Amino acid sequence: MAHRPKRTFRQRRAHSSDSDGAEEQSSEPGAPEEQTAQGLTEEGPPSGGGRVEATARRVRGRGRGRGRGRVWASSRRSAGAATRTEGGLKSRIVDLSTDEEDETAHSLENKDDQSSSSNSSSSLEEEFSSVVNIPDAAFIQAARRKRELARAQNDYISLDVKHTSAIPGMKKNSGDDPESEPDDHEKRIAFTPKSQTLKQRMAEETTPRNEETSEESQEDENQDIWEQQQMRKAVKITEGRDLDLSYSSEPQTVKKFDTSISLPPVNLEIIKKQLNNRLTLLQDTHRSHLREYEKYIQDVESSKSTIQNLENSSNQALNFKFYKSMKIYVENLIDCLNEKIVSIQEIESSMHALLLKQAMTFMKRRQDELKHESTYLQQLSRRTETSTNESLAVDEKTQWILEEIESRRSRRRQARALSGNCDHQEGTSSDDELSSADMNDFQKTQDDISQDHKKIFEDVHDDFCNIQHILLKFQQWREKYPDSYYEAFISLCIPKLLNPLIRVQLIDWNPLKCDAIGLKQMPWFTSIEEFMASSMEDSKKEDSSDKKILSAVINKTIIPRLTDFVEFIWDPLSTSQTTSLITHCRVILEELSTCANEVSKGKQDLLKSVVVRMKKAIEDDVFIPLYPKSTVENKTSPHSKFQERQFWSGIKLFRNILLWNGLLPDDTLQELGLGKLLNRYLIIALLNAIPGPDVVKKCNQIAAYLPEKWFQNSAMRTSIPQLENFIQFLLRSAHKLSRSEFRDEVKEIIPILVKIKALNQAESFIEEYNLDDLKSVIKEV
């Protein structure tokens, strides 16, 4: 159409609106003098151009949806539209005719494609075929030839999307060649709205003031015809959409009730029964709701009464205040102990290292001196005049060690003489003297550790470091609220809380010293005893767990410390150390073991360490050399003195082992004292000795150290199996002495046999040698 009347445009959502808009934008109104020519191309269905254009618009309205993806084919339409806007009136008419031809051909091609793919589009075309005459193939071919001739003038088809640069002679040839208008695929689609609407542009084109009244009436007629055509097209498209929508929404529609279906018969009884069932369900639900309501009312009343009781009771507030204060106190106590435990462990380690160093010094010195003295005596017995210089060098080194040994022995003799202890055997004293310099260093280090020990809790209040004050806090809890006290198992917590404080008091405690303070005299011991005594006063708690606090403290704190002393510091050859250690162990394991199950594990560990340490002493420290009798006959010879010292050193260890009687099992003591020490070392040394008063004295000493508990059975006629070698040695010695000048010494041997329950052997010996005066000894047993 070259000219369309004024109208109001609306944006349409259908595909036809897009095609119409493109048509309307591409068409522009002509000048007043050209309205006749334009009218020929626009008016009515009879004109060929109008039919072609109407057909093209309808076909593009249906098929433009599929052609939208081809952007390159419609990208130059805007350029063509701009060219037509700039060109003259004649150029615009020619462009319109060319566009109509292109659109006609394009619509026919789209029509062929759409007819093969969609039956609905063909039905619409048949409806419009009665109104619009579709051009035949000859007309379409003629239009194509015209377009090809127009392009052939330039000898090439431009690929440039810009119309002005792709076809250089377009503007000047647009008036001459009506088919110089670019094709649809060369045009650009305008994706942005124009600055002016079509109505505005039509208003600008129809601005001439000299239009005649006839032209205005013709324009009104054209407007009416055009609007009728648009309305018919819109009605058809709307009907098509309604069909599609109704088809797509058909599965979702609600089925109407079919009155032809027969329903089961309904009578009053069925309705009444259903109503009764419904009423029963509602009544049950109502009753359950009533029960829940009553329960909630009771809960509310109970909560109100509880709140009122708590508000009116001052004791609960006091209880809460007490428990809160105890909680805060215990937390602060634990924080304090956690902070101080590191210092406690460091000082304990320092003291333990100091004592261990001293013990290792004594042990190493004893073993070295024993080695050098034995080597010297061996060299002395087989000395030759060869290699004098070498032997002299060895003698100088050994002589210096021997002089040190002899100087210490002389000092001990002088000390015993001053004390009046003349009945002392060489070798039974503990060689634990230190030089003055070593003693000063040891004492200085020990004093420094003690000073550090006193500074541990110097910045702490007594309520958090004094055991008596701490126990007083828990005693108040036990007296005020005994139920909560015992339910909290405070008796299990107190030993753990007191452990660091007790360890502080045990830092300078040495159980191997004779002058060491006893456990019962320690402050922590007395405080715990008082706490337990106050607990026992409560008759209702006769089986109170507080009675086990002391045994738990000993098991967790004292026994591990004693075990460390036994394993690393204790010297079994020292009688003083052994006696002091046994004293503390007896107090711990016998008098304080109120609960055997709790102390059993710690006790087993302690006694096991004792046995292991004594075995090691027998293997490492017992050495009794054997020399020819000619060498040892002289009691003043170095060989005889050395052998005597070593024998009495073994007797000393034998005694120290048997001192554990009552703490260690009898089988263990018999294995250690009799099996490993007496039969393996002492009996061999006695067999090598010359029978006489010295031998009898040694045998008497051995028998004196044997525990009487082993021989308390009056029915015993034979001794224990481990003493069989000792009994045979006594009988052999008695036979020899009875034939020697020491006949009176036999009377000393018979009581030894009687003491160890070797009664059958003693009677046989008395009968053999007619010792009737000794029969009374056997009868007394």
Side-chain angles (χ1 to χ4, degrees):
M1 296 178 182
H3 177 72
R4 290 179 182 175
K6 296 180 181 180
R7 58 186 289 263
T8 302
F9 287 86
R10 293 178 297 174
Q11 185 178 1
R12 298 179 182 179
R13 290 176 293 179
H15 293 292
S16 61
S17 63
D18 297 336
S19 61
D20 295 337
E23 289 293 333
E24 290 165 0
Q25 291 176 6
S26 62
S27 63
E28 296 180 359
E33 61 270 20
E34 297 176 353
Q35 289 179 357
T36 305
Q38 294 173 0
L40 294 176
T41 61
E42 281 286 332
E43 285 181 358
S47 62
R51 289 194 303 270
V52 172
E53 182 180 1
T55 304
R57 284 201 304 270
R58 286 192 296 270
V59 174
R60 282 199 303 271
R62 293 189 300 268
R64 185 63 58 86
R66 291 191 298 271
R68 280 292 184 183
R70 300 170 61 185
V71 179
W72 62 271
S74 60
S75 61
R76 295 185 60 183
R77 294 189 66 87
S78 59
T83 305
R84 288 192 301 273
T85 303
E86 296 176 357
L89 179 61
K90 183 179 180 180
S91 175
R92 286 195 299 270
I93 297 173
V94 175
D95 292 344
L96 180 60
S97 63
T98 306
D99 189 18
E100 289 175 354
E101 294 177 359
D102 294 340
E103 289 176 354
T104 303
H106 183 64
S107 63
L108 291 175
E109 293 174 357
N110 290 340
K111 180 179 178 182
D112 296 336
D113 297 336
Q114 292 172 355
S115 61
S116 63
S117 61
S118 176
N119 295 328
S120 61
S121 61
S122 61
S123 62
L124 292 175
E125 291 176 358
E126 290 175 359
E127 293 177 359
F128 284 103
S129 61
S130 60
V131 181
V132 181
N133 292 327
I134 301 174
D136 54 0
F139 180 81
I140 295 173
Q141 291 295 333
R144 287 181 179 176
R145 282 195 299 272
K146 289 181 181 180
R147 185 169 63 251
E148 289 175 358
L149 291 175
R151 292 179 178 177
Q153 295 178 1
N154 294 326
D155 297 331
Y156 70 95
I157 298 176
S158 176
L159 298 177
D160 194 355
V161 297
K162 293 182 179 181
H163 177 66
T164 56
S165 59
I167 306 175
M170 180 62 69
K171 289 184 179 182
K172 64 180 182 178
N173 296 330
S174 60
D176 299 334
D177 191 359
E179 294 201 305
S180 61
E181 180 72 19
D183 295 336
D184 291 342
H185 66 274
E186 296 177 352
K187 294 181 181 180
R188 186 187 301 271
I189 297 176
F191 292 97
T192 59
K194 300 295 183 178
S195 59
Q196 292 181 348
T197 63
L198 180 60
K199 183 178 181 179
Q200 293 174 350
R201 290 197 302 272
M202 291 172 63
E204 291 177 358
E205 295 293 337
T206 58
T207 52
R209 302 295 184 180
N210 54 357
E211 291 182 352
E212 296 179 356
T213 306
S214 61
E215 294 176 356
E216 293 179 357
S217 61
Q218 184 67 28
E219 182 180 350
D220 294 338
E221 293 177 1
N222 294 337
Q223 175 70 21
D224 295 337
I225 295 172
W226 184 82
E227 288 180 356
Q228 291 175 4
Q229 293 176 355
Q230 296 297 324
M231 290 297 292
R232 287 196 299 271
K233 180 172 64 175
V235 169
K236 291 183 178 296
I237 294 174
T238 304
E239 291 177 355
R241 289 183 180 179
D242 293 340
L243 291 174
D244 295 339
L245 291 174
S246 62
Y247 177 78
S248 61
S249 61
E250 182 178 356
Q252 299 178 358
T253 57
V254 181
K255 294 183 178 180
K256 295 183 180 179
F257 178 73
D258 190 1
T259 57
S260 62
I261 300 175
S262 62
L263 297 176
V266 179
N267 54 25
L268 293 177
E269 294 297 330
I270 296 175
I271 296 174
K272 183 178 179 180
K273 183 178 181 180
Q274 292 180 353
L275 291 175
N276 289 332
N277 293 336
R278 180 61 177 169
L279 179 62
T280 304
L281 293 176
L282 292 176
Q283 289 176 351
D284 294 340
T285 304
H286 179 65
R287 283 193 294 269
S288 64
H289 290 171
L290 286 178
R291 287 193 296 269
E292 292 180 0
Y293 175 75
E294 293 175 357
K295 181 181 177 182
Y296 293 151
I297 292 297
Q298 294 177 359
D299 293 342
V300 170
E301 295 296 333
S302 176
S303 300
K304 288 181 179 180
S305 62
T306 303
I307 293 172
Q308 186 176 2
N309 293 334
L310 292 176
E311 290 177 351
N312 297 333
S313 175
S314 60
N315 293 331
Q316 298 295 333
L318 294 177
N319 295 348
F320 175 76
K321 184 178 180 181
F322 175 80
Y323 288 133
K324 185 176 182 180
S325 63
M326 282 299 300
K327 178 178 179 294
I328 296 173
Y329 172 76
V330 173
E331 289 178 351
N332 293 334
L333 177 61
I334 293 174
D335 292 340
C336 175
L337 296 178
N338 288 336
E339 182 179 349
K340 297 297 182 180
I341 192 65
V342 178
S343 302
I344 295 172
Q345 291 175 350
E346 290 178 356
I347 295 176
E348 275 185 338
S349 300
S350 301
M351 181 63 75
H352 186 269
L354 179 64
L355 297 176
L356 178 61
K357 180 181 178 182
Q358 185 186 47
M360 296 302 295
T361 300
F362 291 148
M363 187 180 301
K364 186 176 184 302
R365 186 181 68 180
R366 182 173 62 240
Q367 293 177 356
D368 291 343
E369 290 177 352
L370 179 62
K371 179 180 178 181
H372 284 87
E373 191 171 4
S374 175
T375 303
Y376 169 73
L377 294 175
Q378 289 178 3
Q379 292 177 357
L380 188 63
S381 61
R382 63 171 182 259
R383 177 179 296 178
T384 60
E385 294 181 356
T386 59
S387 64
T388 304
N389 296 331
E390 182 180 355
S391 62
L392 182 61
V394 173
D395 289 342
E396 287 180 356
K397 181 179 179 181
T398 305
Q399 190 65 30
W400 178 81
I401 295 175
L402 294 176
E403 289 177 357
E404 288 291 329
I405 298 173
E406 191 61 31
S407 63
R408 293 197 302 273
R409 289 172 184 166
S410 62
R411 287 194 295 270
R412 289 195 293 268
R413 293 190 196 102
Q414 292 176 2
R416 289 193 297 268
L418 294 175
S419 63
N421 186 11
C422 298
D423 189 14
H424 181 78
Q425 299 295 331
E426 291 287 343
T428 57
S429 60
S430 298
D431 190 8
D432 53 2
E433 294 89 355
L434 288 174
S435 63
S436 59
D438 294 340
M439 182 60 69
N440 292 334
D441 292 342
F442 176 82
Q443 192 64 38
K444 183 178 181 302
T445 306
Q446 190 176 21
D447 293 341
D448 293 341
I449 294 174
S450 299
Q451 291 296 326
D452 295 338
H453 150 242
K454 294 177 181 179
K455 295 178 181 179
I456 294 177
F457 289 105
E458 65 179 1
D459 59 340
V460 179
H461 194 272
D462 289 343
D463 290 342
F464 301 96
C465 64
N466 191 305
I467 294 177
Q468 187 174 4
H469 292 186
I470 294 173
L471 292 177
L472 183 60
K473 291 281 188 181
F474 289 101
Q475 184 176 351
Q476 293 174 357
W477 185 0
R478 185 178 60 193
E479 293 175 355
K480 292 183 178 180
Y481 313 103
D483 294 337
S484 63
Y485 173 85
Y486 289 107
E487 289 175 359
F489 299 98
I490 301 301
S491 59
L492 300 179
C493 302
I494 288 178
K496 296 181 180 180
L497 291 175
L498 300 183
N499 177 270
L501 301 174
I502 296 175
R503 288 166 60 183
V504 170
Q505 297 185 22
L506 296 177
I507 286 177
D508 55 357
W509 178 64
N510 189 350
L512 302 179
K513 288 186 176 182
C514 296
D515 57 349
I517 184 174
L519 293 177
K520 291 185 177 182
Q521 286 74 37
M522 291 186 176
W524 64 267
F525 190 94
T526 56
S527 299
I528 294 176
E529 274 190 334
E530 293 175 359
F531 182 78
M532 293 171 57
S534 62
S535 175
M536 294 176 185
E537 293 177 358
D538 189 1
S539 59
K540 297 181 181 179
K541 296 290 182 181
E542 293 180 357
D543 56 345
S544 173
S545 57
D546 289 346
K547 298 178 182 179
K548 304 176 184 178
I549 292 177
L550 186 57
S551 60
V553 169
I554 292 173
N555 189 32
K556 299 295 183 180
T557 307
I558 307 302
I559 289 180
R561 185 166 180 80
L562 280 176
T563 304
D564 291 340
F565 272 96
V566 170
E567 291 180 354
F568 303 104
I569 302 174
W570 174 48
D571 183 8
L573 286 174
S574 174
T575 303
S576 61
Q577 292 185 10
T578 304
T579 303
S580 178
L581 181 62
I582 289 174
T583 301
H584 293 293
C585 289
R586 287 188 186 278
V587 171
I588 292 172
L589 301 179
E590 290 181 359
E591 297 184 12
L592 304 180
S593 58
T594 57
C595 185
N597 294 330
E598 291 185 2
V599 186
S600 61
K601 187 178 184 303
K603 178 181 179 180
Q604 291 175 1
D605 294 340
L606 176 61
L607 297 180
K608 182 179 179 181
S609 62
V610 170
V611 173
V612 171
R613 185 67 187 88
M614 288 192 296
K615 285 182 180 180
K616 189 174 185 299
I618 294 173
E619 295 173 358
D620 297 344
D621 297 328
V622 177
F623 174 69
I624 304 176
L626 300 177
Y627 298 114
K629 292 184 179 181
S630 59
T631 305
V632 298
E633 285 180 354
N634 185 7
K635 299 299 182 182
T636 60
S637 65
H639 299 83
S640 178
K641 291 182 179 180
F642 180 71
Q643 189 183 53
E644 286 294 314
R645 285 194 298 270
Q646 291 303 117
F647 181 84
W648 283 106
S649 177
I651 292 290
K652 180 182 179 181
L653 181 59
F654 179 76
R655 175 197 177 188
N656 294 340
I657 291 174
L658 296 180
L659 286 175
W660 289 94
N661 177 40
L663 297 177
L664 292 177
D666 292 340
D667 296 340
T668 304
L669 287 178
Q670 292 174 7
E671 179 185 358
L672 290 174
L674 303 181
K676 292 184 177 296
L677 184 55
L678 178 63
N679 295 332
R680 188 178 299 180
Y681 293 99
L682 300 181
I683 296 296
I684 294 175
L686 290 173
L687 291 173
N688 192 48
I690 299 174
D694 293 338
V695 174
V696 176
K697 183 179 181 180
K698 293 175 182 176
C699 291
N700 270 322
Q701 198 68 46
I702 290 173
Y705 293 149
L706 293 174
E708 296 181 358
K709 185 179 67 173
W710 293 353
F711 313 104
Q712 288 180 352
N713 189 0
S714 59
M716 288 180 62
R717 301 295 296 178
T718 58
S719 183
I720 55 180
Q722 288 84 350
L723 290 176
E724 186 64 29
N725 293 334
F726 182 61
I727 293 172
Q728 294 300 325
F729 172 76
L730 289 175
L731 293 175
R732 191 180 299 112
S733 299
H735 286 293
K736 291 180 179 180
L737 291 174
S738 63
R739 294 189 296 265
S740 66
E741 57 182 358
F742 303 107
R743 184 180 177 83
D744 295 338
E745 298 295 332
V746 176
K747 298 180 180 179
E748 299 291 336
I749 294 177
I750 298 301
I752 297 174
L753 293 173
V754 173
K755 181 181 180 181
I756 62 176
K757 292 294 183 177
L759 300 179
N760 294 333
Q761 292 86 344
E763 289 177 354
S764 299
F765 184 80
I766 291 173
E767 291 178 358
E768 182 180 355
Y769 288 95
N770 298 321
L771 300 175
D772 296 336
D773 55 339
L774 295 178
K775 290 183 179 180
S776 59
V777 177
I778 299 176
K779 291 180 181 180
E780 291 177 358
V781 177

